[in-house]
Amino acid sequence: LLGCNAVAVRAAGEDTPESFARTAERLRKAVDRAEKMELNLLISPHTGLTQTPERITELIKKIGGFRVGTFPDFQSAAASADPTNYLRRLTPYASVVAATTIKFTGGKGDEEAAGPLVHQPYDLEPLVNAILSVGYDGTLGIDFRGTGDAKVGVLLSRAALESLLDVEDLPEDDEPE
């Protein structure tokens, strides 16, 4: 119906036993419907109930089924106490990881700073390494959340990610489109 294989949702709510049970029950119904449409339901991290990897994985186990997973993102991981552990815990349940980016400095096109392309406010390299360390080989979606020209932001994000993933070393048919 949508022409996609997954839909991501945020489960907002207070982290209480009652809210957890109610959310699991409601998401189980959504997963049942998603299964009929051959869609995966991915849970995005959000403050409160799904703020920690432990609570998200508990929720997934409580919901059950093969069509429920996670949709972790770099910005949420960077905001956590241990970003690399955060991604290592959620990525095994992910069919997509959002490589969220905010701002870049340096690089060839930036007159303000010379040198390599640097992402701010967090370093992308440990985040990319965290998802690779658990054997993730799924989709890495670019989500530029910064200000300014979105096209430039996406292109800079792609360049930064390709440099971290050593894309030039991949066989031609494995390169991203």
Side-chain angles (χ1 to χ4, degrees), residues 60-129:
I60 288 171
K61 291 173 185 174
K62 180 79 173 174
I63 296 166
F66 295 105
R67 293 217 174 251
V68 62
T70 62
F71 184 51
D73 71 85
F74 286 1
Q75 188 175 20
S76 295
S80 72
D82 186 352
T84 56
N85 185 51
Y86 182 96
L87 286 171
R88 284 188 194 120
R89 294 289 309 266
L90 291 180
T91 301
Y93 298 94
S95 54
V96 178
V97 174
T100 47
T101 56
I102 312 292
K103 179 182 179 183
F104 290 94
T105 59
K108 295 177 186 174
D110 189 343
E111 295 177 17
E112 295 176 18
L117 197 57
V118 176
H119 179 261
Q120 296 173 339
Y122 48 86
D123 187 5
L124 295 175
E125 186 171 14
L127 304 178
V128 169
N129 289 339

Side-chain angles (χ1 to χ4, degrees), residues 126-139:
L127 304 178
V128 169
N129 289 339
I131 64 172
L132 294 176
S133 74
V134 295
Y136 184 74
D137 64 356
T139 301

Side-chain angles (χ1 to χ4, degrees), residues 17-29:
E18 298 80 19
S19 180
F20 182 87
R22 188 173 47 254
T23 301
E25 179 185 329
R26 289 179 179 171
L27 287 177
R28 177 71 237 163
K29 290 176 184 175

Side-chain angles (χ1 to χ4, degrees), residues 8-9 11 27 41-45 50 56 59-60 63 68-72:
V9 297
L27 287 177
L41 184 85
L42 307 178
I43 301 171
S44 292
T50 57
I56 295 172
L59 186 58
I60 288 171
I63 296 166
V68 62
T70 62
F71 184 51

Side-chain angles (χ1 to χ4, degrees), residues 25-41:
E25 179 185 329
R26 289 179 179 171
L27 287 177
R28 177 71 237 163
K29 290 176 184 175
V31 168
D32 288 342
R33 185 159 182 187
E35 284 178 359
K36 292 174 185 164
M37 297 169 58
E38 297 184 19
L39 281 171
N40 295 317
L41 184 85

